[in-house]
């Protein structure tokens, strides 16, 4: 039965008889979930009858709060649809951020969004404006073009520091969800600057999101250990500091890095951490850490790098230098762990299993050969390149940790993918308090998963193949995916904005 009835503008949907997960309480119960007016109205173990309600039978399926992705560089309808099939209902670019923030929100709203969206203040763009005179345009690809610029990477003078801190403060006042810090791309800059950024964030009640600089193990000449820097700044300033993709910046040093974060957390510092379940990363070919002379420290060779788009595996360091020179912003994939080796796969699982580690995708923009980044066509036109994590991070994490290795219960999985990431933003964005939960009053951002078919399908060769197993996906009470099919007219995504003090 699937009757639809308009009840004075309020439709009621009942998801009947699913395995309902509330990660806040850690519970799994067979129940009906009643959705009304964009929110969860009730959860009932007794089957409910309601006149005119749309009833969807979800017997045997897992019902939980949609995934909150803290780290997604997908700023497109096409990319959001791929993430929807991976269970995501809110996708946020908090590591890089966008500037100017008001333009970023206005453009997303004007284009329409499938999923809820939001951005942090971009430390890189604020620095770029002051140190390199580059006016930011609220575009991810223009900020990545900046990253290879040596002028941008240097230490600021006191006046420059004050100028870009002021820009960041204004971005926070404009609705940014904290500050995104791409420290790994300016890794020789003075660590004192970082502490100042953390101080600003602490005063504003806003979290920070860091792509850390080099680890001491990889580069004994680094001004400070990249992961230790996060812990120190959190301790010194009291700021909430989020460590991005601990897998890709730690590589085979992940146990040491997690130990450093453990000590900080045990001492009361507000440190959180995220992981994506792949042994390969993705970045711009011009990144500092891909300089030919730096590969050794990372245990890489030139042939660990594959250019996205062309699929060229880099032959040698001469070719690497050439590509860095020609097009420093071009995207590549870097194999930092060898997933053919069980010992390296085990490293990834340990990172995922770390207590309170959050799953976040680091989803990358889609790019077609004609340089397009978006389309409203679905299925997606062929030929788009991206990192497979864009499409598969969440399904892959659940497949590994819940289905194959039994390391997480479903409640634990939803805690890692929905509940904990939402909590990172509670302070800066009070609206997040209704997300990541499945209880009366929560936002009806819901995912319904069929455990029997849940898996990632994306590969390097076919990176935009959607994950399988998401039967239904609701954003604010509106179906984006129903019975495994995308609703082409659904654009229910809403902005999540910061409200700093
Ligand atoms: Zn990063």
């Amino acid at each position: 039965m699937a009757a639809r009835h308009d009840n004075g503008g309020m439709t009621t949907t009942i998801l009947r008889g699913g395995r309902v997960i509330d990660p806040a309480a850690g519970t799994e119960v067979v129940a009906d979930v009643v959705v009304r007016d964009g929110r969860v109205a009730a959860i009932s173990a007794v089957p409910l009858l309601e006149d005119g309600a749309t009833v969807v039978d979800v017997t045997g399926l897992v019902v939980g709060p949609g995934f909150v992705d803290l780290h997604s560089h997908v700023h497109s309808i096409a990319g959001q649809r791929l993430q929807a099939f991976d269970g995501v209902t809110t996708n946020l670019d908090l590591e890089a951020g966008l500037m100017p923030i008001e333009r970023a929100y206005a453009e997303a709203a004007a284009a329409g969004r499938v999923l809820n969206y939001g951005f942090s203040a971009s430390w890189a763009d604020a620095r770029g404006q002051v140190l390199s005179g580059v006016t930011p345009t609220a575009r991810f690809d223009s900020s990545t073009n900046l990253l290879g610029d040596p002028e941008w990477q240097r230490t600021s003078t006191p006046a420059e520091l004050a100028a870009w801190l002021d820009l960041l403060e204004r971005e926070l006042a404009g609705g940014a969800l904290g500050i995104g810090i791409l420290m790994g791309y300016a890794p020789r800059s003075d660590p004192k600057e970082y502490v100042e950024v953390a101080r600003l964030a602490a005063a504003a009640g806003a979290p920070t999101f860091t792509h850390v600089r080099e680890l001491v193990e990889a580069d004994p000449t680094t001004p400070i250990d990249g992961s230790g820097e996060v812990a120190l700044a959190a301790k010194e300033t009291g700021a909430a500091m989020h460590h991005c993709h601990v897998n890709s910046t730690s590589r085979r040093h992940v146990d040491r890095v997690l130990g450093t974060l453990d000590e900080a957390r045990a001492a009361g510092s507000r440190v959180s951490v995220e992981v994506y379940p792949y042994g390969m990363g993705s970045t711009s070919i011009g990144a500092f850490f891909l300089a030919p002379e730096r590969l050794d420290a990372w245990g890489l060779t030139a042939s660990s790098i594959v250019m996205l788009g062309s699929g060229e595996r880099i032959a040698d360091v001469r070719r690497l230098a050439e590509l860095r020179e020609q097009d420093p912003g071009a995207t590549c994939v870097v194999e930092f762990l060898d997933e053919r080796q069980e010992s390296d796969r085990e490293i990834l699982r340990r990172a995922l299993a770390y207590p309170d580690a959050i799953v976040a995708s680091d989803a990358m923009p889609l790019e077609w050969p004609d340089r397009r980044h978006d389309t409203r066509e679905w299925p997606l036109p062929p030929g788009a390149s991206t990192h497979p994590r864009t499409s598969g991070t969440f399904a892959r994490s659940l497949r590994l940790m819940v289905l194959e290795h039994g390391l997480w219960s479903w409640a634990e999985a939803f805690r890692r993918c929905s509940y904990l990431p939402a909590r990172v933003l509670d302070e800066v964005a009070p609206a997040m308090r209704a997300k990541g939960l499945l209880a009366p009053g929560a936002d009806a951002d819901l995912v319904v998963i069929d455990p029997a078919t849940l898996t990632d399908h994306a590969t390097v060769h076919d990176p935009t193949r959607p994950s399988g197993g998401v039967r239904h996906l609701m954003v604010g009470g509106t179906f984006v995916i129903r019975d495994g099919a995308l609703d082409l007219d659904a654009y229910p995504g809403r902005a999540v904005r910061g409200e700093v003090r």
Side-chain angles (χ1 to χ4, degrees), residues 94-181:
L94 303 181
E95 180 222 33
L98 291 176
M99 182 177 172
I101 196 75
E102 276 160 14
R103 179 167 164 191
Y105 278 110
E107 289 183 355
R113 285 290 177 258
V114 176
L115 308 180
N116 302 316
Y117 57 92
F119 323 103
S120 65
S122 171
W123 168 89
D125 278 354
R127 281 181 117 253
Q129 181 165 327
V130 173
L131 300 182
S132 291
V134 177
T135 306
T137 57
R139 288 187 59 92
F140 178 71
D141 51 351
S142 54
S143 17
T144 53
N145 284 335
L146 174 77
L147 301 179
D149 170 11
E151 188 62 10
W152 170 83
Q153 294 179 13
R154 68 176 167 82
T155 292
S156 316
T157 66
E160 288 165 341
L161 175 64
W164 60 255
L165 285 173
D166 185 55
L167 290 176
L168 288 176
E169 202 171 351
R170 279 192 237 172
E171 293 288 278
L172 288 173
L177 294 166
I179 304 173
I181 311 170

Side-chain angles (χ1 to χ4, degrees), residues 71 95 182 185 211 245 362:
H71 191 157
E95 180 222 33
L182 293 172
Y185 296 84
H211 176 136
H245 45 49
D362 200 358

